[in-house]
Amino acid sequence: MAPTMPALTGVIVGALAAGPLLGAGGWAGAQKAPPQSPQQQTAQQIRWPVRTLSHVDLWLHAFAMLSVDTGTVVPLYRRGYRDSLTVEKNKRNVLTALDGNRETLTRGLQRGGYLSAQFLAFDYASFDEMRGTIERFLQFEGDPRRASDAESARRMAQLAALFQSAADREWLRLFISSVQDENVRFFDAEYLRVFRERRAVITAVDSLWQQQYRMKFERFLNNTGQRQGDLLLSLPMGGEGRTGPGRTQRTMVAVPFPGRVEDAAEALFGLAHEATGTIVGPVIADNVTPAEQRAGVADRAVAAAQVIGGAMVLSRIAPELLAGYQRYYLTQAGVKIEPSADSTALTAAFDRTFTLSPTMRDALRRQIDIVLGGI
């Protein structure tokens, strides 16, 4: 999902360009980051490293636990994420401020339209750094002019664009304190537990990406202005990933963090979906009327078009991934598919589930052809 947060530049500014490759760390509560290998130490030499950033996952986790998912195509977060984490907390008899304040925060989230704030974490090196900026923003009553330096003023201007009124800032005050408690009482330990369990998964994704598929994606990424980036494995993410430009113009793409080594390709499915975001918006905008725009037709079409666009890209650059991609997104959309379903059945179900007008579909295909140099 591409960013929509109103900010000085009109997009989310974020994404760490530096930091450990394949490592957690830089977040409140974690005392030690996993040791870096030589590969990790040369992350900056890799154009699209595979990474994990626990403070980003903490932030997205908090939104996932509060959000009422009304997505009509695929869920905003991994299917079943909130329910599975709630069960885990109940097993451990854990109740955090995020749980206790859920009803109030959820009402505010729906009323205030703060979902775009989920992209904010891309702009910070740790949760402590992010929390510090937010607390100063609240202390300054939302006035970026009171910031002590240009970087702080830029970040506070982002916050001010989202949290304009005193009521907005009061919601943010309750939210940030609840996230902090969630981190200390539950998420810190849970993240490290899952991270340790999935080390082999991270290695499998990195190998699949760097050794087999990065070069296949390269032309499309380069020609859509995504030459440098970070492939971020994120626990809350499902098929509807998150994408934002970094401070150093690297694209950060949060994709599903597969649960098993054999599912490593799910991360690439998420990348294929997200990579089309730069072209889908303009294609849809060019093919809807003002009345349709006001009726929300464009928003619904964009969601379907990114799923369809990802399939179109894979059919051109890595057709061997197409069936897996279709199956994954059908599952994310809640469509039951028999394990024995062949490619014909998968394609038929995919086309029934993710629909675009013939005009939009043809325009999207033409644009992908142009990007890949087909015409």
Side-chain angles (χ1 to χ4, degrees), residues 65-316:
M65 298 301 284
L66 299 176
S67 299
V68 177
D69 206 332
T70 58
T72 57
V73 180
V74 294
L76 288 174
Y77 303 95
R78 178 164 57 82
R79 178 167 287 277
Y81 179 82
R82 182 172 62 181
D83 290 345
S84 66
L85 269 290
T86 299
V87 168
E88 191 63 35
K89 285 174 147 183
N90 290 340
K91 284 181 182 177
R92 303 183 199 180
N93 198 28
V94 171
L95 183 69
T96 74
L98 191 67
D99 302 314
N101 295 321
R102 176 179 292 174
E103 185 176 340
T104 299
L105 288 169
T106 299
R107 284 201 308 267
L109 184 63
Q110 293 174 314
R111 181 182 64 250
Y114 308 133
L115 263 182
S116 292
Q118 64 195 303
F119 294 95
L120 286 169
F122 289 171
D123 203 21
Y124 294 85
S126 70
F127 180 65
D128 279 346
E129 182 185 44
M130 185 178 186
R131 187 182 62 178
T133 298
I134 290 174
E135 288 176 348
R136 287 191 297 275
F137 169 77
L138 295 171
Q139 180 184 354
F140 296 158
E141 297 181 336
D143 187 355
R145 294 172 297 180
R146 299 175 62 183
S148 59
D149 56 76
E151 179 69 0
S152 296
R154 178 186 67 81
R155 286 172 165 173
M156 289 187 189
Q158 290 181 339
L159 290 165
L162 279 168
F163 304 100
Q164 299 177 13
S165 70
D168 294 334
R169 293 190 292 274
E170 192 55 38
W171 183 91
L172 180 60
R173 188 187 311 277
L174 182 62
F175 181 67
I176 195 66
S177 65
S178 298
V179 174
Q180 167 67 2
D181 192 64
E182 177 82 0
N183 191 34
V184 171
R185 293 177 180 270
F186 174 73
F187 190 81
D188 184 332
E190 177 65 10
Y191 184 92
L192 287 178
R193 180 188 70 80
V194 176
F195 178 85
R196 292 187 184 108
E197 287 182 352
R198 297 191 188 182
R199 284 185 180 274
V201 175
I202 299 171
T203 301
V205 173
D206 184 65
S207 177
L208 192 67
W209 171 239
Q210 298 294 350
Q211 297 179 25
Q212 296 186 49
Y213 286 104
R214 184 172 63 81
M215 292 299 294
K216 293 186 177 185
F217 276 81
E218 193 165 67
R219 178 186 289 272
F220 188 86
L221 292 172
N222 289 351
N223 291 349
T224 52
Q226 301 174 93
R227 185 177 181 84
Q228 300 282 348
D230 296 285
L231 190 60
L232 175 61
L233 302 182
S234 177
L235 293 174
M237 285 295 91
E240 188 69 29
R242 304 291 186 274
T243 301
R247 292 191 302 255
T248 58
Q249 302 308 306
R250 292 173 65 89
T251 301
M252 176 171 281
V253 181
V255 299
F257 193 153
R260 307 180 304 167
V261 167
E262 51 266 45
D263 297 327
E266 289 179 0
L268 306 189
F269 301 158
L271 177 61
H273 171 275
E274 289 298 290
T276 65
T278 57
I279 63 174
V280 162
V283 165
I284 300 304
D286 288 344
N287 289 280
V288 294
T289 66
E292 289 173 328
Q293 187 80 258
R294 291 190 295 272
V297 172
D299 290 341
R300 293 190 294 273
V302 165
Q306 280 202 244
V307 179
I308 294 168
M312 289 179 177
V313 170
L314 288 181
S315 71
R316 293 285 305 277

Side-chain angles (χ1 to χ4, degrees), residues 45-64:
Q45 301 174 18
I46 302 175
R47 289 171 61 183
W48 272 91
V50 174
R51 303 176 62 195
T52 61
L53 290 173
S54 52
H55 73 283
V56 173
D57 270 17
L58 168 63
W59 193 246
L60 293 172
H61 161 83
F63 278 96

